[in-house]
């Protein structure tokens, strides 16, 4: 049995950050990761010529101070997302090419609906106390309402409703009917509101790290060295008066405390002895993930830029729901990222590889012309099939869950401490939120140890 001061379960950004801060503070630590790689719901692959592709989370933006702090710590530069040129929206078979944030070429009624609803959601987000949104004045009402029901009631224009369903439910990689309105407001409000979430310049897709997310998590792992153990899915955590024992199929680790930093959708896959407090156990059972397929289509050059297009497009419900220019800082080769979420992703995942590729390429040709028909590479990451991610890029709460069990998101359960982007009151759902949660959990376990030593 390995004996250390602290154990961390999961080597995504939350777990890596917690372990790194603990080690930097002079503590011994062991990190057990179920996958055969690090990075969690980020995953950077690098070609022999240095070109990288982020198959998971990739973008960063203003206000994400903790991811920028890590980049500074390891000397990772940023480069700005390519936003020059027009975007494209396809609704009801009609193609709208436009500049700015909203597709002004749609009917004035649809555009007015879009603008009013985004302002309304922004105002609702600001009314929530970030640390405890379940205590908001209208929390019970918003938590028993799904996002889908709210959109049906408040958006009269069908095209506008389809766009908002895609834009607002997309981050949870599920249908709007599956997610609580209160969770949507919590997650978007943690970054300031929907305008940040859907924006390129100045928003959630403002920039990217040079070298991809791997340029950040790889040096973190290097500092941890032998403390990091891969292919070690944890199946049991036992705690007693003196410490915790964490077991995988091949390892047992004895520590003072443990940080569990895996997706919420998977937290219930571990057996806890003694059983967790009932409300925390129920929360673990009630935070699923959705479905998302992320595809990077590589071309010799980003030909869409010469055509005056930014590469950003959206077509609700299509096999290529969203596209965005995903070129590296050198702009060569051309990389078009396709993100398909929720019900459309589940449908896309049901066809074979050849048909899926044909469907996606057909969508790109329709939007960007015949040059899109002959990519040189096609990289596909179906996160829905990743057993240690649990589905989409973030877990969510269905109706009624947050007001009942949300208060257990962050507090430790005895010697078990919780980390993960879903638990962050700031930038919940982003890499930055994961880093914040890891730093919080590391501070918690060290403070608990200090308090125990004093008593």
């Amino acid at each position: 049995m390995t004996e250390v001061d602290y154990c961390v379960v999961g080597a995504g950004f939350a777990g890596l950050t917690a372990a790194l801060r603990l080690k930097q503070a002079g503590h011994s630590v062991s990190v057990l990761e179920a996958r055969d790689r690090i990075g969690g719901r980020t995953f950077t692959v690098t070609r022999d010529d240095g070109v990288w592709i982020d198959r998971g989370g990739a973008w960063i933006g203003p206000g994400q101070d903790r991811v920028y702090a890590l980049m500074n710590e390891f000397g990772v530069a940023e480069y700005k997302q390519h936003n020059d040129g027009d975007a494209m929206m396809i609704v009801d078979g009609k193609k709208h090419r436009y500049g700015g944030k909203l597709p002004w070429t749609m009917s004035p009624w649809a555009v007015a609906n879009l603008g009013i609803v985004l302002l309304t959601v922004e105002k609702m987000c600001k009314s929530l106390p970030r640390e405890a949104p379940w205590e908001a004045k209208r929390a019970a009402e918003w938590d028993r309402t799904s996002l889908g029901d709210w959109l049906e009631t408040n958006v009269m224009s069908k095209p506008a409703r389809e766009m908002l369903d895609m834009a607002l439910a997309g981050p949870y990689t599920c249908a709007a009917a599956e997610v609580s309105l209160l969770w949507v407001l919590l997650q978007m409000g943690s970054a300031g509101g929907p305008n940040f979430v859907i924006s390129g310049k100045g928003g959630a897709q403002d920039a990217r790290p040079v070298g991809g997310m791997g340029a950040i998590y790889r040096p973190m792992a290097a500092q941890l060295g032998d403390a990091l153990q891969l292919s070690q899915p944890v199946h049991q955590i036992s705690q007693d008066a003196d410490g915790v024992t964490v077991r995988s199929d091949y390892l047992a680790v004895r520590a003072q405390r443990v940080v569990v930093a895996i997706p919420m959708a998977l937290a219930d896959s571990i057996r806890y002895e003694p059983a967790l407090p009932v409300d925390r156990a129920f929360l673990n059972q009630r935070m699923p993930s959705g479905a998302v397929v992320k595809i990077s289509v590589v071309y010799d050059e980003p030909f869409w830029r010469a055509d005056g297009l930014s590469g950003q497009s959206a077509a609700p419900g299509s096999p290529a729901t969203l596209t965005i220019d995903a070129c590296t800082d050198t702009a060569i080769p051309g990389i078009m990222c396709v993100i398909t979420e929720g019900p459309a992703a589940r449908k896309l995942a049901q066809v074979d590889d050849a048909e899926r590729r044909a469907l996606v390429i057909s969508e790109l040709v329709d939007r960007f012309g015949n040059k899109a028909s002959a990519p040189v590479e096609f990289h596909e990451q179906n996160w829905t099939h990743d057993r240690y991610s649990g589905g989409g890029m973030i877990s969510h709460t269905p109706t009624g869950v947050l007001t009942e069990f949300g208060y257990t998101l962050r507090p430790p359960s005895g010697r078990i401490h919780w980390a993960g982007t879903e638990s962050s009151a700031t930038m919940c759902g982003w890499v930055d939120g994961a880093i914040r949660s890891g730093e919080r959990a590391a501070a918690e376990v060290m403070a608990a140890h200090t308090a125990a030593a004093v008593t």
Side-chain angles (χ1 to χ4, degrees):
M1 180 178 293
T2 301
E3 294 190 7
V4 293
D5 294 334
Y6 303 112
C7 182
V8 176
V9 180
F13 268 98
L16 289 174
T17 302
L20 181 64
R21 297 307 181 218
L22 290 169
K23 183 174 182 180
Q24 289 173 334
H27 299 286
S28 59
V29 63
S30 179
V31 184
L32 304 184
E33 166 57 47
R35 300 176 178 87
D36 60 0
R37 63 172 182 84
I38 56 175
R41 289 175 281 188
T42 64
F43 181 19
T44 305
V45 295
T46 305
R47 303 192 322 189
D48 291 341
D49 60 1
V51 172
W52 72 88
I53 292 172
D54 276 315
R55 300 173 75 125
W59 281 270
I60 55 179
Q64 297 186 344
D65 302 331
R66 301 319 300 157
V67 69
Y68 277 108
L70 269 181
M71 290 168 65
N72 289 335
E73 187 173 341
F74 293 107
V76 180
E78 70 162 357
Y79 70 102
K80 292 298 184 180
Q81 170 65 28
H82 175 79
N83 286 306
D84 294 341
D86 292 339
M88 198 180 303
M89 181 74 67
I90 299 94
V91 182
D92 287 340
K94 297 179 180 178
K95 193 179 301 179
H96 303 272
R97 178 171 170 164
Y98 63 97
K101 292 185 178 181
L102 295 177
W104 302 106
T105 58
M106 294 177 66
S107 74
W109 172 240
V111 173
N113 268 237
L114 286 171
I116 291 170
V117 169
L118 289 174
L119 286 172
T120 301
V121 173
E122 192 97 10
K123 183 177 179 180
M124 294 162 72
C125 286
K126 291 179 179 178
S127 74
L128 293 184
R130 283 190 179 183
E131 296 288 339
W134 42 87
E135 295 178 359
K137 184 177 180 180
R138 300 179 65 184
E141 172 193 348
W142 290 340
D143 199 31
R144 64 173 175 259
T145 304
S146 74
L147 173 61
D149 287 341
W150 189 86
L151 290 174
E152 285 287 339
T153 301
N154 291 275
V155 187
M156 300 300 104
S157 163
K158 182 176 179 291
R161 189 164 59 248
E162 289 181 356
M163 289 175 57
L164 288 165
D165 187 308
M166 173 194 66
L168 300 185
Y172 321 110
T173 60
C174 65
E178 298 177 73
V179 61
S180 159
L181 176 62
L182 184 62
W183 176 263
V184 174
L185 299 176
L186 176 161
Q187 191 270 331
M188 293 193 171
S190 75
N195 282 324
F196 178 85
V197 176
I198 66 176
S199 294
K201 185 177 181 180
Q205 293 81 42
D206 182 76
R208 295 178 66 189
V210 174
M213 286 295 172
I216 311 173
Y217 66 65
R218 286 171 186 145
M220 296 173 72
Q223 283 205 10
L224 291 169
D226 293 340
L228 180 60
Q229 300 289 327
L230 301 181
S231 301
Q232 299 293 337
V234 168
H235 57 75
Q236 182 177 358
I237 298 176
S238 304
Q239 58 176 317
D240 53 48
D242 299 317
V244 295
T245 302
V246 182
R247 298 183 184 276
S248 69
D249 288 337
Y250 308 105
L251 290 176
V253 177
R254 182 69 179 172
Q256 297 167 14
R257 292 177 178 268
V258 59
V259 175
V260 177
I262 61 177
M264 286 292 300
L266 299 177
D268 194 47
S269 66
I270 298 174
R271 185 169 73 254
Y272 302 93
E273 298 289 348
L276 295 174
V278 64
D279 280 7
R280 176 67 205 201
F282 281 173
L283 181 71
N284 287 352
Q285 295 168 11
R286 287 162 169 79
M287 286 195 68
S289 291
V292 59
V293 179
K294 184 174 183 182
I295 297 171
S296 297
V297 188
V298 183
Y299 299 92
D300 289 328
E301 60 182 6
F303 59 84
W304 52 90
R305 296 186 182 185
D307 295 335
L309 293 168
S310 67
Q312 295 181 30
S313 72
S318 80
T321 312
L322 301 167
T323 70
I324 186 169
D325 184 311
C327 297
T328 70
D329 57 320
T330 65
I332 298 294
I335 305 174
M336 180 65 74
C337 175
V338 177
I339 302 173
T340 306
E341 301 161 325
R346 297 200 302 269
K347 184 177 180 180
L348 187 64
Q350 292 172 5
V351 303
D352 62 34
D353 293 351
E355 184 178 355
R356 189 161 51 250
R357 175 178 173 132
L359 286 169
V360 170
I361 296 300
S362 176
E363 288 285 338
L364 296 182
V365 169
D366 181 64
R367 296 175 209 183
F368 302 108
N370 287 333
K371 291 179 181 178
S373 65
V376 294
E377 294 178 29
F378 190 91
H379 297 261
E380 182 178 32
Q381 185 74 22
N382 186 345
W383 287 95
T384 315
H385 292 167
D386 188 320
R387 65 180 299 186
Y388 296 121
S389 292
M393 308 310 294
I394 175 177
S395 299
H396 64 271
T397 62
T399 56
V401 173
L402 206 52
T403 47
E404 288 291 332
F405 311 111
Y407 76 95
T408 68
L409 261 172
R410 285 182 289 276
S413 303
R415 293 178 178 270
I416 301 173
H417 298 253
W418 307 101
T421 188
E422 294 90 347
S423 71
S424 181
T426 301
M427 295 296 170
C428 171
W430 285 275
V431 169
D432 184 83
I435 294 166
R436 290 173 188 272
S437 76
E439 291 179 334
R440 169 188 52 76
E444 282 177 5
V445 298
M446 288 188 287
H449 175 68
T450 301
V454 171
T455 57

